Amino acid sequence: MGKESGQSARQGTARSTGEDGEDDSTDLAASQASVRALVDRLAPGWQPAQNVAAAHELAELARAQGARRRAVKAGAVPPLVAMLARHNDSLLEPACACLSVLAQDDEGRRLMISTGAARPLVLALRSTRSAVLREASGALWNMTHKNDAGAQAIVTARGIPALVEQLSSADEHLLINALSTLANIATTPSGRASVGAPNLGAVPAATRVVHSGGAASRRAAARLLANLTHGPKSVSNTAAAQINKAGGVGALVQMLGSGDESGRDAAVECLGNLSKDTKLKGAIVQAFGKSVCLSVCLSVCLSVCLS
């Protein structure tokens, strides 16, 4: 019990990514030419409207894994990062959307980190446009997928406070993106300490989502809380105390009766971590007495007792 888990890399916001296989060989040359032409049109020498169109088209094309890799190899990442720094609001959403797709590629993530994408993506979270917020937070999520360097880049760019601010949003997509990014950052000891700092308010904000969010955001919030309560007592007990103060124990127990298997797993893990604090064992046992399926309670009780 208590092993931290990173969230899976997200797919493009509100759009499917397409097939993961390589393009058909008959279309390969045409695809390569299209990718190169679109990357060329991302340069500042083109009009902003042409940059926007190229970024949107490249994002759609890159949803197939083969095209995504070709876009990265063709040099798409640096001009997209540069687009974020051009102080033109119309460029933010398409650049963030395209980077979010390219960050699903290992080399794309590496290049985003090395070209300093974290800072402008974090700054994009100041936007008042919901589409920009969703795409920027999605790109940050993908940057942190199984990538500690990406997580550290976001911490260095002061991204944690900016992400925590998004946890009060009513936008389910944005909530999931921000929670999942924070959960990925919290898979390392230093990340846990940073995200779980009491002055930032990430723990009570995530606990509120467990209480009242949608199924997917509750799952992401429970995963974040599970990661924060894993590890050294000096960090995990701080997060545990915050969860208890915010009434999170009862909300996590309620998740055990949901039909969301992944959400239940995250809640079980978090409750197991919390049970290591002797002060919280009583609260957990008491919460089990309230409207949860007996069989689920028994399985979790076993996990708690054995932890």
Side-chain angles (χ1 to χ4, degrees), residues 14 34 40 92 103 111-112 122 132 138 204 207-208 227 238 274 280 285:
S34 296
D40 288 343
L92 285 178
L111 285 170
M112 285 174 64
V122 168
V132 173
T207 304
R208 285 193 294 271
N227 286 359
T238 299
L274 293 175
L280 293 182
V285 172

Side-chain angles (χ1 to χ4, degrees), residues 22-107:
E22 293 289 335
D23 297 311
D24 189 280
S25 58
T26 58
D27 298 327
L28 182 57
S31 177
Q32 288 175 328
S34 296
V35 166
R36 285 194 297 269
L38 290 171
V39 170
D40 288 343
R41 285 166 50 199
L42 297 174
W46 294 78
Q47 292 296 317
Q50 293 169 310
N51 295 147
V52 167
H56 276 307
E57 192 173 343
L58 187 61
E60 291 298 331
L61 189 63
R63 294 183 193 284
Q65 185 176 357
R68 182 158 62 243
R69 290 171 181 166
R70 284 191 287 279
V72 172
K73 289 179 180 179
V77 171
L80 286 166
V81 174
M83 282 174 65
L84 297 177
R86 284 165 59 184
H87 306 293
N88 185 329
D89 195 53
S90 69
L91 298 176
L92 285 178
E93 186 268 336
C96 289
C98 196
L99 285 169
S100 182
V101 175
L102 298 183
Q104 295 172 38
D105 179 84
D106 291 341
E107 181 65 10

Side-chain angles (χ1 to χ4, degrees), residues 251-299:
L252 287 163
V253 169
Q254 287 298 315
M255 285 187 68
L256 304 181
S258 76
D260 180 358
E261 184 176 356
S262 296
R264 288 200 306 270
D265 288 346
V268 166
E269 185 176 331
C270 189
L271 288 167
N273 293 341
L274 293 175
S275 73
K276 295 173 184 177
D277 185 333
T278 55
K279 296 178 181 179
L280 293 182
K281 281 189 176 180
I284 294 171
V285 172
Q286 183 177 10
F288 278 157
K290 299 180 180 179
S291 65
V292 181
C293 174
L294 179 60
S295 62
V296 177
C297 283
L298 288 173
S299 67

